[in-house]
Amino acid sequence: MTEDSQRPAGGDEEKSATKKAVKAGCFYDGQPIPCKTSEGFWDPASGCYLTPKDKPLTFSDTSKIPPGSKFYRCWYVYDVEDGKPVGEARFESVIREPGETQTIDPREAARQVVESMVFVAPQLGLSPYVQSAAHKGIVNVPVWMWVTDPGASTTGPLTKRAALGGVAIEATGTVDRIDWSMGGGDVVTCKGAGTPFDRAAAEGKSLKEIPDSPTCGHRYRKTSRCENGQAFQVTATAYWTVHWTGGGMEGDIPLQFSRSLPLQVVDLRPVLVAPDGEGNTAATTPPRACS
């Protein structure tokens, strides 16, 4: 690990998208109404609650309806009382012809748009300061953490606009926070991408004088000698919120993306010298046994 950054050998990424909109709403004339009732799902384009049907009800000549058309029963809304839509069923079906946009639930359209957005787990920068070629972290010496590839796909914001099923969706993803699980049970929450390590900040300073990261850092209180592989597994998880609007609705979809890498942390042990100064043999204090 260098003062610049380290990238994990594999593409260890995790992507999880919650399909349920945490905050969503449908509106009629600016008033909130249920997005779905026993009369069907709300379609702001027609002003109806729609229910799919196999055949149309119409006074028009059905022979002129193009093959492949979709048919919906319409429960037309004309008012809202105490948050409940007031309306009536219409005889005429809502007909969507082939090539015409087909009505779908805006929440489903939003889910599809968000799934098509390119999110990437960030590459990790860890910079323990050590005066050797081993590049190991040192107990009680600051470790700076940051994202080495900040951008729209890793730290946001990322926006996409698309029309699906007759609904125009605009979705914007932003990173709420990045949680750094440092191993050994410690978790550091950082609001942004962190600050890259400035090597000049360490020039001419002892280990005790090395400054902490101004935005995202950690100090280890013990070595990683007793961990699996004698290293702490550091995992950074970026938590996103994607806010979407479209079809008279809006909502928030949470996402999270993680990447991990190992970090070995050592302790600088004092050297014991014979009191009489004889001989060149030196011994260090023995390490504690792993329980």
Side-chain angles (χ1 to χ4, degrees):
M1 193 167 308
T2 69
E3 287 89 346
D4 298 321
S5 67
Q6 174 170 325
R7 297 192 177 200
D12 182 17
E13 301 178 11
E14 295 180 4
K15 176 178 180 180
S16 76
T18 301
K19 297 182 179 181
K20 179 181 178 181
V22 175
K23 183 184 74 175
C26 295
F27 301 89
Y28 169 83
D29 197 23
Q31 301 182 70
I33 58 174
C35 294
K36 191 173 183 180
T37 71
S38 59
E39 304 295 346
F41 65 89
W42 174 242
D43 173 40
S46 62
C48 302
Y49 282 96
L50 298 182
T51 304
K53 295 294 181 182
D54 294 332
K55 297 180 180 180
L57 290 176
T58 178
F59 291 113
S60 303
D61 186 356
T62 57
S63 65
K64 296 182 179 181
I65 299 176
S69 295
K70 303 292 184 180
F71 315 115
Y72 302 88
R73 171 185 177 272
C74 167
W75 194 83
Y76 182 75
V77 176
Y78 54 79
D79 200 1
V80 177
E81 294 181 359
D82 298 326
K84 297 181 180 180
V86 178
E88 60 184 7
R90 287 187 168 178
F91 176 78
E92 285 283 336
S93 298
V94 172
I95 301 175
R96 301 284 161 80
E97 297 181 359
E100 219 179 273
T101 54
Q102 306 297 315
T103 300
I104 67 171
D105 190 324
R107 291 168 295 184
E108 173 61 20
R111 182 189 65 79
Q112 293 183 33
V113 170
V114 171
E115 286 189 348
S116 70
M117 298 172 73
V118 180
F119 296 98
V120 180
Q123 299 285 353
L124 311 185
L126 291 176
S127 187
Y129 185 84
V130 61
Q131 294 173 317
S132 74
H135 301 303
K136 300 174 183 178
I138 301 175
V139 171
N140 207 33
V141 175
V143 175
W144 293 36
M145 298 103 70
W146 73 97
V147 174
T148 66
D149 58 346
S153 294
T154 55
T155 55
L158 179 62
T159 297
K160 184 168 185 177
R161 300 174 182 86
L164 292 175
V167 180
I169 298 293
E170 178 175 322
T172 297
T174 55
V175 173
D176 299 322
R177 71 186 192 279
I178 299 178
D179 282 355
W180 294 76
S181 177
M182 306 306 296
D186 291 327
V187 177
V188 179
T189 297
C190 301
K191 289 297 183 183
T195 303
F197 180 71
D198 181 8
R199 189 169 186 175
E203 293 294 336
K205 293 183 173 64
S206 68
L207 293 179
K208 293 182 179 180
E209 297 173 324
I210 303 303
D212 292 290
S213 168
T215 56
C216 189
H218 180 65
R219 287 174 182 253
Y220 283 95
R221 304 302 178 187
K222 65 178 182 178
T223 73
S224 60
R225 186 176 60 87
C226 295
E227 302 294 318
N228 290 334
Q230 295 190 333
F232 289 113
Q233 192 71 9
V234 179
T235 300
T237 302
Y239 291 90
W240 292 70
T241 296
V242 183
H243 183 75
W244 62 269
T245 58
M249 298 177 63
E250 62 180 300
D252 291 328
I253 297 178
L255 304 171
Q256 65 184 62
F257 305 88
S258 299
R259 193 183 294 275
S260 301
L261 55 79
L263 174 63
Q264 191 171 3
V265 178
V266 299
D267 198 1
L268 296 184
R269 295 191 168 277
V271 176
L272 302 180
V273 181
D276 56 8
E278 294 181 359
N280 297 321
T281 303
T284 59
T285 57
R288 296 179 181 178
C290 297
S291 57

